[in-house]
Amino acid sequence: MKLLGTGSVIPSRVVTNDDFSRFLDTSDEWIYPRTGIKSRHVISSEKLEDIAAQAAERAIADAGIAKEDLDFFICSNVVNEYLTPGLSCIIAAKLGISCPCIDINCACPGFIYAMDIAETYFSARKVRNVLIVCAEEPSRMTSWEDRSTCILFGDGAGAAVFGEGDKVKGIKLNAEPSVDKLFQYRRLMPTPYITKEESDIPLQMNGREVFKFAVTTSVRDISALLEKAGLRVEDVDYFMIHQANMRIIEGIRKGLGAPEDKFPTNIRDHGNSSSASCPILLDECHRKGLFKKGDILVFSAFGAGLLSAAAIMEW
Ligand code: COA
């Protein structure tokens, strides 16, 4: 498959590190050096499905195809206000499209997992055009009284349209299942028969373990993928790394031995927007005119699961 178009939309409300220090025992001096984050956009009056549909409209327009030409729609999302139907159906209704659609919950590497599913459909010649939308509101998963998690995340939606072609040169998925390092627990409706104890638990994270996993797995995923594709680190023009923490990105860069200018980032103003992070970064770089024909892009993302994934794509 090949990328035809991208789009993204972020909520209007900006929350700075200084805003946090008004209601939490934290500061820009603590947050910025440890994470690279200065501010993030969070959902306020918007609905996630609305910004997701707008991001999709932009990607479809950028691809230059008609909505009717979409054969399949994959939505990556961890949390939204509906338990059912899937967010893909809600976005599809807003877009006025009726191709088959599915939701995946693969946390931060969701964009690359969705690419892998799309690639399989292309290989089976079942589709000609696939829409991927990654829409996330992690600001609704953390406790805003927990300074170790809520400062890390931002909301947003990123979208991409893929068509038939041979520009995706390889995808690697990886799983190291371990629930307690990064999870949120939600109570379901009570019944007369539930006797076990249940409570809502906001996002819990073992920051240090996740940090280690992120750096090691990303370097490993990228190195394995490049080797399989017969490419070297020097052959890559841009590393599109999940924007979780600037120090994680820096650790990956050093692990690969690649120069700083090959790592575009937007974490300073976005924070970690889970699976929306990679496609938002992709869209922003594309709209700035960063990529030229033939450039080699490598994506890498990691998160809850614990899952990780990497992909190579020629522009
Ligand atoms: N402001 C001020 N102090 C804070 C703070 C904040 N926002 N968050 C945590 N602290 C405090 C802790 O309470 C702790 O204090 P204590 O020593 O008195 O107990 C101290 O800072 C150190 O906490 P620790 O969690 O060990 O810090 P850290 O150096 O590991 O940094 C993270 C924390 C979250 C920045 C870091 O672990 C990280 O980035 N991990 C990866 C997280 C991530 O990206 N997850 C998503 C991946 S998809």
Side-chain angles (χ1 to χ4, degrees), residues 25-27 30-31 34-35 108 147-148 151-153 182 205 207-208 210-211 242 244-245 247-248 272 302-304:
D25 180 15
T26 189
S27 62
W30 195 95
I31 299 170
R34 280 176 183 79
T35 66
C108 304
R147 63 183 183 173
S148 68
I151 52 117
L152 296 171
F153 297 95
L182 187 51
M205 182 178 65
R208 294 200 169 188
V210 175
F211 193 107
H242 169 47
N245 181 317
R247 288 190 302 137
I248 292 178
N272 178 347
F302 32 78

Side-chain angles (χ1 to χ4, degrees), residues 118-254:
E119 173 75 345
T120 308
Y121 273 74
F122 278 108
S123 301
R125 302 201 170 277
K126 287 177 82 166
V127 291
R128 285 167 305 124
N129 295 298
V130 174
L131 170 66
I132 296 176
V133 175
C134 302
E136 303 282 10
E137 47 185 335
S139 72
R140 308 297 304 278
M141 300 170 65
T142 60
S143 159
W144 280 60
E145 291 173 357
D146 176 5
R147 63 183 183 173
S148 68
T149 54
C150 68
I151 52 117
L152 296 171
F153 297 95
D155 305 328
V161 174
F162 287 90
E164 287 168 301
D166 61 355
K167 301 289 187 194
V168 172
K169 304 293 184 189
I171 302 178
K172 182 181 190 310
L173 307 183
N174 172 54
E176 294 173 30
S178 163
V179 177
D180 59 352
K181 293 195 180 85
L182 187 51
F183 74 96
Q184 182 192 358
Y185 186 86
R186 175 172 50 183
R187 244 182 322 176
L188 301 180
M189 296 300 286
T191 78
Y193 310 108
I194 291 296
T195 52
K196 57 196 167 151
E197 237 177 74
E198 293 182 324
S199 58
D200 290 313
I201 306 173
L203 193 78
Q204 304 293 305
M205 182 178 65
N206 181 330
R208 294 200 169 188
E209 288 294 316
V210 175
F211 193 107
K212 268 188 268 170
F213 168 77
V215 176
T216 354
T217 193
S218 177
V219 172
R220 203 189 304 135
D221 288 349
I222 293 173
S223 305
L225 199 54
L226 287 177
E227 194 184 335
K228 197 165 175 209
L231 292 169
R232 296 160 309 158
V233 167
E234 302 87 83
D235 299 321
V236 178
D237 294 285
Y238 296 105
F239 291 92
M240 311 294 288
I241 309 292
H242 169 47
Q243 303 288 294
N245 181 317
M246 198 58 212
R247 288 190 302 137
I248 292 178
I249 299 170
E250 198 47 22
I252 296 166
R253 185 183 76 73
K254 287 186 179 145

